[in-house]
Amino acid sequence: NGLIAGQSAFLGQLAENADYRTNIGISNTGTSNATVQVKLFDATGSQLTSYSVTLLPGEWKQENRPFLNKAGQSNMARGYAQVLVNAGSGIIAYASVIDARTGDPITRVMMQ
């Protein structure tokens, strides 16, 4: 059913360095507009930054390399993200971690 306003989930085992890059995607499967906040953390639990995503009903958005482009991290072996739903329902989040040498992706699903 996805997340509703006031709920959050985590995306774990993320990396941004010469070997791996991470993308984070959010889908709104609900029938109303949604606003989501994504918080990025390093392996120690220190928050690096956060950003907001606004989605129309049925809309999907992916932020490519947010640890690099929004938090300035280029040598992060481990990190995670928290997705918080401020408005809306039916929110689904995922992360893809791409192997830079082979291009092979691994999908990380949200965990509550």
Side-chain angles (χ1 to χ4, degrees), residues 10-93:
F10 292 91
L11 300 166
Q13 299 177 316
L14 309 180
E16 184 66 46
N17 54 40
D19 295 324
Y20 300 99
R21 67 184 185 275
T22 293
N23 304 318
I24 295 177
I26 312 285
S27 293
N28 180 2
T29 66
T31 58
S32 62
N33 292 353
T35 305
V36 177
Q37 181 181 27
V38 180
K39 294 182 178 182
L40 304 177
F41 297 86
D42 65 16
T44 67
S46 296
Q47 184 175 330
L48 302 169
T49 194
S50 68
Y51 63 94
S52 293
V53 180
T54 302
L55 300 154
L56 298 172
E59 190 174 20
W60 160 81
K61 291 182 179 176
Q62 178 172 292
E63 184 69 38
N64 294 329
R65 303 185 80 175
F67 283 98
L68 176 65
N69 296 327
K70 296 200 176 284
Q73 300 296 304
S74 61
N75 193 26
M76 187 187 75
R78 293 182 309 273
Y80 64 95
Q82 181 182 21
V83 177
L84 301 103
V85 180
N86 295 322
S89 62
I91 303 303
I92 299 170

